[in-house]
Amino acid sequence: MEYVILAVVIAVVAVGAIAGLVVSGRRRQQLPPKSQAPVITAPKTPQEPQVGEEAAPPTEEPRRTVEEVELPEAEAVPETVEAVEAEQVPALEVPEPTAGRLVRLRSRLSRSQNSLGKGLLSLLSREHLDEDTWEEIEDTLLTADVGVAPTQELVERLRTRVKVLGTRTPDELRTLLREELVELIGKDADRTVRSTKHEDGPAVVLVVGVNGVGKTTTTGKLARVLVADGRTVVLGAADTFRAAAADQLQTWGERVGARTVRGPEGGDPASVAFDAVKEGIAEGADTVLVDTAGRLHTKTGLMDELGKVKRVVEKHGPVDEVLLVLDATTGQNGLIQARVFAEVVDITGIVLTKLDGTAKGGIVVAVQRELGVPVKLIGLGEGADDLAPFEPGAFVDALIGD
């Protein structure tokens, strides 16, 4: 009996042990695996020199002689400060020659040509030139701003010559009209810009006109004309009231190597003009061009200031030229401006700008009759070399075509 009880106890103990092993195994499967700690790699740093038994034996490195070492090629550098400055200065422009410039720009007069020249040729070519036709010829001339008195004068001469001529072939009419227009414009007037240096100083040219006529641009282009003719030029930026006028003029000067004298914005224009002439004398320049303020002709104070500029400049010497810049598109308004300016300063020449953009080519005749001074330059575009010395024959040829 004792053996039976002992066997039962042993069996119960064995069953319990087996059950415990099974439960513990299941628990192990349910537990998540242990996460491994992140590995942090320290940046490699040069090791400290070691001493004693831990010191590493020195290693032999290959060494090169001085002759074996190749040196990098040195870059070429300018030898002087002047060479550095020369590399930074842009190349100067070479202006287009002025001789024959108007002939090269004749196509720019297409609007005036269609209105004045071709219009007159068409009317004169009619089989019968009755009173109505002559009235149309007068209207064409007046529309082109030739002016009343010059128009009557031209029509009367044309009538007489056509009556004497009798037959009127196209070539004969063209020759007739050309001769009469050249005579009306004036072929004997002195149209050269007086820019030749004197013994005691440069020639001085004042450029005057109201705002918007292209006065500063014309001054810059005139500098190119003079440089193209071999003159050395100094520019005076005496238009101190218009923002960026001095910068604009200086840009024009830098393109052809002309120095620009300028003052503070809103400063005294007469002072700038005086300093410009002084600089021209010091440099030995041929010509000093002074761009005056685009003063409104209705403001007496500003016109008086223009007279002051001229008087101050004359302390150095005489003013050789006073060029009045007029916008050809303004027509009769330009004549009003011309009258007022002529009362303040002695106008010696006229510059007509924007003549390529108007059908009023007759303003050349009208303004000359009004002031009694010749047109010396005309502007025929926006290009830097589109300012041309005025040549009556070439101008008429452009108007009436081939």
Side-chain angles (χ1 to χ4, degrees):
M1 189 65 181
E2 294 178 354
Y3 290 108
V4 174
I5 295 171
L6 180 61
V8 172
V9 171
I10 293 172
V12 172
V13 172
V15 171
I18 294 171
L21 291 174
V22 173
V23 171
S24 63
R26 289 179 179 178
R27 287 179 178 177
R28 287 193 188 97
Q29 292 177 358
Q30 293 177 355
L31 290 176
K34 293 183 180 180
S35 59
Q36 297 181 350
V39 178
I40 302 176
T41 303
K44 295 182 179 180
T45 57
Q47 295 183 351
E48 297 268 341
Q50 297 177 347
V51 295
E53 297 178 353
E54 296 180 353
T59 57
E60 291 291 337
E61 295 182 358
R63 298 184 179 182
R64 293 181 294 174
T65 63
V66 174
E67 292 77 8
E68 295 175 340
V69 177
E70 297 181 0
L71 297 177
E73 295 182 1
E75 296 182 359
V77 296
E79 297 180 357
T80 63
V81 176
E82 289 77 6
V84 176
E85 294 177 349
E87 290 181 358
Q88 297 175 350
V89 175
L92 297 180
E93 298 180 9
V94 179
E96 180 182 337
T98 59
R101 186 181 287 186
L102 181 56
V103 175
R104 295 191 293 273
L105 298 174
R106 60 184 300 175
S107 61
R108 307 289 177 85
L109 292 171
S110 57
R111 294 187 64 182
S112 295
Q113 181 187 78
N114 292 332
S115 175
L116 183 57
K118 290 185 176 180
L120 290 176
L121 281 176
S122 176
L123 291 171
L124 289 171
S125 299
R126 290 181 179 179
E127 186 175 353
H128 299 290
L129 295 179
D130 53 16
E131 289 300 321
D132 290 339
T133 302
W134 287 111
E135 287 183 5
E136 289 185 51
I137 292 174
E138 286 188 3
D139 291 341
T140 300
L141 292 168
L142 292 173
T143 302
D145 270 351
V146 173
V148 176
T151 293
Q152 293 175 346
E153 179 183 327
L154 178 60
V155 170
E156 188 62 32
R157 291 211 306 261
L158 285 173
R159 276 192 173 211
T160 302
R161 294 196 62 180
V162 167
K163 186 180 296 185
V164 172
L165 183 63
T167 57
R168 303 183 306 277
T169 65
D171 289 340
E172 289 174 335
L173 285 174
R174 186 184 182 282
T175 301
L176 170 64
L177 183 58
R178 182 187 188 279
E179 290 174 354
E180 292 300 331
L181 286 175
V182 170
E183 186 69 26
L184 188 66
I185 292 173
K187 57 183 179 181
D188 298 327
D190 182 12
R191 302 182 187 276
T192 58
V193 177
R194 294 192 288 271
S195 57
T196 305
K197 181 180 179 182
H198 306 298
E199 293 182 0
D200 55 348
V204 179
V205 179
L206 296 185
V207 183
V208 303
V210 300
N211 282 330
V213 297
K215 182 173 49 55
T216 301
T217 300
T218 298
T219 305
K221 291 182 178 181
L222 178 55
R224 296 178 65 89
V225 168
L226 297 178
V227 170
D229 290 339
R231 304 281 195 273
T232 55
V233 179
V234 171
L235 297 173
D239 186 355
T240 60
F241 300 119
R242 185 170 68 85
D247 293 336
Q248 181 184 356
L249 188 63
Q250 183 171 343
T251 300
W252 278 103
E254 289 174 348
R255 293 166 69 178
V256 292
R259 184 186 297 276
T260 301
V261 177
R262 53 190 297 177
E265 186 174 343
D268 182 15
S271 175
V272 176
F274 183 86
D275 290 342
V277 178
K278 182 179 179 181
E279 181 69 19
I281 295 173
E283 288 191 8
D286 294 316
T287 313
V288 176
L289 295 178
V290 180
D291 176 31
T292 61
R295 49 203 82 253
L296 298 175
H297 60 281
T298 55
K299 296 186 178 180
T300 306
L302 291 177
M303 296 303 292
D304 289 343
E305 186 177 327
L306 177 59
K308 175 187 173 184
V309 170
K310 186 172 183 293
R311 291 192 302 271
V312 168
V313 169
E314 286 176 338
K315 293 181 179 180
H316 285 299
V319 173
D320 297 86
E321 287 274 9
V322 179
L323 297 177
L324 174 62
V325 182
L326 295 176
D327 185 341
T329 62
T330 61
Q332 295 299 315
N333 288 333
L335 297 182
I336 298 174
Q337 297 172 15
R339 294 189 196 106
V340 178
F341 276 97
E343 294 174 359
V344 180
V345 289
D346 296 326
I347 305 297
T348 60
I350 303 161
V351 182
L352 281 175
T353 64
K354 308 177 187 178
L355 198 59
D356 58 314
T358 179
K360 300 181 182 297
I363 190 66
V364 172
V365 177
V367 72
Q368 288 187 144
R369 290 293 184 94
E370 179 67 31
L371 296 181
V373 296
V375 172
K376 295 192 173 184
L377 298 159
I378 57 175
L380 294 169
E382 299 297 328
D385 292 322
D386 289 347
L387 186 71
F390 184 72
E391 304 168 26
F395 179 73
V396 172
D397 287 338
L399 285 183
I400 62 180
D402 296 325

